Amino acid sequence: MLVRPVEPTRIKVAEPEISSLLSNAAKTGNRELGWTFASRYNELRPKHPDGWRFGKPSDVQWLEVSQPTGALEFFVSRDRLHWMGQTTELWPFALLELPASLARLAKVLYSLHSVEGPPSQIVLALGVYGIGDSVLRPHSPHYIGYQMPLVEQQTLAALNDRDYFSSTPVVVTWEDLNSTPDRCAMHLVSQLYRDFGYLEDKLPREYDPLTGVLAFPR
């Protein structure tokens, strides 16, 4: 996933602060044990020319932060998108929470660490690759019918004749990202659901489209 200001927006964050933000999900309003960018195991390293890399490509997930532009790039392995059910099933909570967590991180970085103030517009994009044989159930895993056996569930490749999803980039305002970062991320996730043949009303109920907030029971 990519989050990037339309106009380069320099951010400046020292190593102790960025390390704390990236290892402690709660500091950005995310669940400590949820599907998020945060990790207590990834190693923080400087990234040329002036940024940070949290983790490495051999990890299940890693994140890159560019201080000159304010861009965030987040990568996860396909295994991170599976939790329960058949090995080809994508886990809905991972699909929703991972992008939302990055949008929440961007909100904190731009609001607290932008050298000249937050960017006026931000572009978001999402790509998920190697999922041609994957299936996705509608609704929440807490939905009464979710655990019923899969019947005639079509793979992404069968529906779209490709093994990847690539979103149409979405441009949001700073006001949007600051007030409802989850809604900004759901603009991307809803496109993925459409590729599996679902409208937005099939998103898990943990996301409230009226408030634009993704929330899980404690």
Side-chain angles (χ1 to χ4, degrees):
M1 180 176 171
L2 170 70
V3 179
R4 185 187 68 206
V6 172
E7 296 294 331
T9 300
R10 181 166 181 78
I11 58 176
K12 192 66 176 177
V13 53
E15 181 175 356
E17 293 175 89
I18 191 70
S19 179
S20 179
L21 284 174
L22 299 184
S23 60
N24 188 340
K27 287 185 176 292
T28 50
N30 289 295
R31 293 194 300 164
E32 291 187 3
L33 299 179
W35 280 266
T36 75
F37 65 83
S39 171
R40 298 187 184 277
Y41 306 102
N42 283 7
E43 184 178 357
L44 182 69
R45 297 175 180 268
K47 182 178 184 298
H48 180 78
D50 184 16
W52 300 104
R53 172 178 286 159
F54 188 58
K56 55 187 182 297
S58 59
D59 294 332
V60 294
Q61 63 182 51
W62 74 100
L63 171 68
E64 296 181 355
V65 179
S66 170
Q67 293 193 129
T69 66
L72 311 179
E73 292 187 82
F74 180 46
F75 308 85
V76 301
S77 69
R78 172 176 163 167
D79 291 344
R80 190 83 166 96
L81 304 180
H82 171 72
W83 180 247
M84 296 177 62
Q86 300 176 10
T87 57
T88 55
E89 283 190 56
L90 299 177
W91 187 243
F93 290 168
L95 295 178
L96 270 67
E97 196 172 9
L98 285 165
S101 75
L102 192 68
R104 293 180 184 185
L105 171 64
K107 170 186 172 178
V108 171
L109 289 176
Y110 298 156
S111 63
L112 299 181
H113 299 285
S114 295
V115 175
E116 297 181 352
S120 59
Q121 292 184 309
I122 303 98
V123 61
L124 299 89
L126 177 67
V128 188
Y129 301 94
I131 57 169
D133 62 344
S134 296
V135 295
L136 174 64
R137 296 178 189 243
H139 303 297
S140 167
H142 294 150
Y143 183 71
I144 191 169
Y146 186 88
Q147 299 300 334
M148 298 295 290
L150 277 172
V151 178
E152 297 181 359
Q153 197 79 16
Q154 290 188 290
T155 66
L156 183 75
L159 290 164
N160 300 278
D161 195 28
R162 48 182 160 78
D163 70 346
Y164 67 90
F165 162 77
S166 182
S167 75
T168 299
V170 172
V171 177
V172 300
T173 66
W174 166 245
E175 290 74 19
D176 292 334
L177 184 67
N178 188 44
S179 61
T180 52
D182 298 350
R183 175 174 282 144
C184 295
M186 290 312 114
H187 290 321
L188 303 175
V189 177
S190 64
Q191 293 183 44
L192 174 58
Y193 268 70
R194 280 180 172 268
D195 255 16
F196 278 95
Y198 304 127
L199 295 175
E200 287 78 359
D201 63 351
K202 298 300 190 295
L203 289 173
R205 63 189 179 190
E206 283 74 13
Y207 173 67
D208 186 339
L210 296 179
T211 62
V213 174
L214 176 66
F216 294 89
R218 294 188 179 278

